Amino acid sequence: SSGINAEYIGKCVETVNIPVFGNGDIMNFEDYNLQKKSSNVSGVMLARGALIKPWLFREIKEQRHWDISGQERLDIVKDFCNYGLEHWGSDDKGVENTRKFLLEWLSFAHRYVPHGILLYPPQRINERLPIYRGRNELETLLSSPNSDDWVKISEMFLGKVRDDF
């Protein structure tokens, strides 16, 4: 993605007589505020930013950055797994469905860089920062771009993957 075109969205807002919602590249409350102000939209949709940082809604509401710990992030993963098992069931099919969606989500969530270790905050959605060591091993594991590590994370809550996985 090359970023939003706030000028174009603003022209759309002026042209139509219905609510217009902005969309794209929101990763922090500053991005949200800028999009609302610069395009005069009725609201802003969040997508990738919310997949990377599910607490983004809280940050926007509170107008602050949340330097979430590795343990707090792992608790969100645990909740995700519990919701998946509740929805699809805890039989083999339910576990595998939950794992499939968890691994897909982790392919976004690993992109989060803790606010407290950013050299130039806030993080931008299109920034691809080099692999880094977290403040502890859990933070490093959660930031890994390696899908084998995502499988390890899934095994913490969903058990060992099948041999044919």
Side-chain angles (χ1 to χ4, degrees):
S1 170
S2 61
I4 67 157
N5 185 337
E7 182 180 336
Y8 178 78
I9 295 171
K11 287 179 182 175
C12 292
V13 169
E14 293 170 6
T15 304
V16 298
N17 211 12
I18 59 172
V20 175
F21 286 78
N23 183 25
D25 299 341
I26 305 299
M27 184 72 169
N28 51 64
F29 71 88
E30 293 98 336
D31 293 339
Y32 173 87
N33 294 343
L34 180 62
Q35 190 168 132
K36 289 256 319 182
K37 182 179 180 181
S38 63
S39 59
N40 204 28
V41 291
S42 300
V44 177
M45 293 184 282
L46 309 176
R48 287 182 300 159
L51 289 169
I52 296 168
K53 289 173 40 176
W55 55 93
L56 177 57
F57 301 95
R58 181 179 184 171
E59 288 187 354
I60 291 169
K61 180 180 179 183
E62 296 178 1
Q63 294 290 290
R64 68 175 184 95
H65 296 284
W66 188 19
D67 190 14
I68 186 170
S69 72
Q71 186 58 55
E72 288 169 308
R73 289 171 62 200
L74 192 64
D75 290 343
I76 293 171
V77 172
K78 179 182 178 182
D79 288 344
F80 184 102
C81 292
N82 288 336
Y83 295 141
L85 295 173
E86 184 179 308
H87 179 74
W88 285 296
S90 57
D91 61 351
D92 289 347
K93 183 69 174 163
V95 169
E96 291 313 306
N97 272 336
T98 300
R99 189 182 316 275
K100 176 177 74 173
F101 283 95
L102 173 64
L103 294 174
E104 181 65 29
W105 172 50
L106 290 173
S107 76
F108 286 92
H110 85 276
R111 298 179 196 175
Y112 171 68
V113 179
H115 185 76
I117 64 174
L118 281 171
L119 188 56
Y120 301 106
Q123 183 179 0
R124 301 290 177 203
I125 200 152
N126 291 321
E127 282 182 321
R128 288 289 190 267
L129 300 170
I131 295 174
Y132 66 92
R133 292 203 57 78
R135 295 171 285 196
N136 57 48
E137 289 302 314
L138 180 57
E139 220 172 56
T140 302
L141 177 65
L142 289 167
S143 71
S144 172
N146 185 332
S147 61
D148 290 337
D149 288 332
W150 307 340
V151 171
K152 285 181 202 171
I153 293 167
S154 79
E155 290 178 332
M156 292 178 185
F157 303 104
L158 300 172
K160 185 127 177 63
V161 296
R162 296 186 327 249
D163 291 336
D164 63 343
F165 180 75

